[in-house]
Amino acid sequence: MANISEAEIRKIVESILKASSATSSESYTSTEYAGRKLVGIYSDMNEAIDAAEKGYFAVRAMTVEQREKIIAEIRRLTVAEAPIMAEMGVRETGMGKVEHKRLKHFLVAEKTPGTEDIVSEAKTGDSGLTLTEMAPFGVVGAITPSTNPSETVICNSIGMIAAGNGVVFNPHPGAICVSNYAVDLVNRASAAAGGPEVLVCSMDKPTMDSASIMQSHPKIKLLVCTGGPGVVRAVLSSGKKAIGAGAGNPPVIVDDTADIRKAGKDIIDGCTFDNNLPCIAEKEVFAFSNIADRLIDEMQKNGAYLINREQADKLAKIVLVEKTTKSGKTVKTVSRECVGRDAHVLLAKIGIEVSDSVRCIICETDFMHDFVQHELMMPILPIVRVENIAEAIDLAVKAEHGNRHTAHMHSKNIDNLSAFAKAVETTIFVKNAPSYAGIGFGGEGHTTFTIAGPTGEGITSARSFTRKRRCVLADNFRII
Ligand code: NAD
């Protein structure tokens, strides 16, 4: 990202201090924050799309330098107001941890690529010069989740604006206030940097109906969906070009060559980050049986609380609830009352009182246990003993359910590491580190909160939201 001067750093620090004192104890709704009307929020999806189209025309008319000025201001405001959004996100959804949500906003501000991600190609030859440029799609319709609400709105906005698009959001209704706060932040950044007052738009009350208007509206040229399997399926069957960033259930393998002390700490650090809400976070462990006891011991030293099988079965009946689908089938889904909750709160539900120093609940289970098979998104980590690498890979691949999302491994055996990486075919594969290294937090590479496994864009960035256009000049403009 661009170099920041000392004066700019001072400005950022001053805004952080100011923002820290203005916490989200302020009152808010999906259209107002502390008595101020949020900009870019509409009651009608058609109106929101028309406004986003005006934003698109404004961005299209800008120089790249002007776009970059807006993006720099989005980054600055995101850092400055991270404490507000972190606290508001936890207060509104009841999920996650304020200190981790703050870090997620800093990560988005610092490591989401901007206009530098848009690169043109030139091909010269006997027949002249051909340029291929990454052009905007137009107005993008974006659906965002409750698990990383404002982080996804800001991350998507930076990439989509950098690529020259307009954006209309249909955020998760359960996180609408903080999502719309982020939409307003992007619009404030635009106005402050000389851009339009309304650059990105959202709904005051998003619904399935507003999502379906978005999905079929002729002005929407690209759909970008970050969420669970239901919504990804819906956008992929819309008939429009769509980017689908769907569910994961990341397995971790620990073999007997791993640094067990480090593996125990890394797994608990990754699994408990924002109370396991990130889709990349460790969800189940396959441990070689000759190191499993030591691994469990290391996890306990790092804030994990071990429950027995009977307690695990009791907890599973609380954190997973049965639901009847439209076709009359009974399925188990995660209880919204438990997603992203603190470990001590979950333990209290089965009568175990512990202090909030307990970060994670661990238990030994078999492969078919609900804790292994379901994407829980809470700090509960099942551990399955395996005898060798073949068994570990076989079970871990099955537990990933073909999501092609994320997998992790702790090992020093390059044959084992390569064999699992090849077999699991995930978008992200993290070796010997906590899961968040996979999105640039303590690992190399840019960040995103939209990891598009099903449609293949992977770790999305500005270039993912572009279409290629070619311009040919025959017989000329060669200099050799
Ligand atoms: P969710 O699927 O409940 O909701 C996501 C969004 O889709 C919301 O805005 C919701 O209102 C909307 N929605 C749901 N069904 C819809 C339908 N049929 N048509 C239109 N809109 C619909 O997701 P959530 O609980 O907020 O987030 C958690 C899920 O998202 C997990 O499965 C997680 O793995 C996944 N996720 C994936 C990524 C990624 O980058 N791949 C990132 C974050 C979350």
Side-chain angles (χ1 to χ4, degrees), residues 140-144 156 160 167-171 214 222-226:
V140 181
I143 293 178
T144 52
N156 279 181
M160 290 167 189
V167 199
V168 59
F169 288 96
N170 197 67
M214 175 199 266
L222 170 69
L223 290 165
V224 177
C225 167
T226 312

Side-chain angles (χ1 to χ4, degrees), residues 70 78 129-130 147 162 182 187 226 262 284 326-327 399 417 459 471:
I70 295 175
T78 302
L129 165 74
T130 292
T147 46
N187 287 327
T226 312
K262 182 174 181 322
E284 63 278 336
K326 276 184 197 150
S327 60
L417 285 162
I459 324 300
C471 182

Side-chain angles (χ1 to χ4, degrees), residues 143-146 171-173 208 226-228 231 245-247 279 336 375 405 451:
I143 293 178
T144 52
S146 60
H172 196 291
M208 292 293 197
T226 312
V231 63
C279 48
R336 285 278 154 188
E375 184 198 25
H405 198 298
I451 299 152

Side-chain angles (χ1 to χ4, degrees), residues 327-345:
S327 60
K329 227 172 101 187
T330 305
V331 292
K332 284 183 186 167
T333 61
V334 285
S335 156
R336 285 278 154 188
E337 302 299 306
C338 298
V339 170
R341 296 323 196 259
D342 289 346
H344 70 94
V345 171

Side-chain angles (χ1 to χ4, degrees), residues 255-314:
D255 77 11
D256 55 4
T257 67
D259 177 340
I260 302 301
R261 208 162 128 194
K262 182 174 181 322
K265 179 177 185 318
D266 284 356
I267 293 170
I268 297 302
D269 284 349
C271 170
T272 56
F273 189 64
D274 208 17
N275 274 346
N276 201 254
L277 290 177
C279 48
I280 55 159
E282 294 83 348
K283 299 285 191 287
E284 63 278 336
V285 177
F286 297 94
F288 275 35
S289 52
N290 56 348
I291 50 89
D293 290 339
R294 265 198 301 140
L295 183 68
I296 288 170
D297 192 46
E298 291 301 333
M299 288 177 167
Q300 286 174 296
K301 285 183 196 154
N302 283 282
Y305 185 92
L306 181 67
I307 58 173
N308 62 31
R309 178 60 195 250
E310 198 186 320
Q311 291 164 328
D313 290 346
K314 197 169 164 191

Side-chain angles (χ1 to χ4, degrees), residues 401-412:
H401 299 311
N403 292 320
R404 298 184 160 198
H405 198 298
T406 300
H408 310 282
M409 185 158 179
H410 294 264
S411 170
K412 290 194 174 140

Side-chain angles (χ1 to χ4, degrees), residues 197-209:
E197 297 279 322
V198 179
L199 179 52
V200 299
C201 304
S202 177
M203 294 293 294
D204 58 355
K205 290 190 189 77
T207 59
M208 292 293 197
D209 286 343

Side-chain angles (χ1 to χ4, degrees), residues 1-12 72 75-76 79 109-110:
M1 286 351 72
N3 284 340
I4 302 181
S5 71
E6 242 181 76
E8 281 167 322
I9 293 173
R10 213 171 303 119
K11 214 166 146 193
I12 291 172
R75 296 189 199 283
R76 193 185 72 76
V79 171
E110 283 164 22

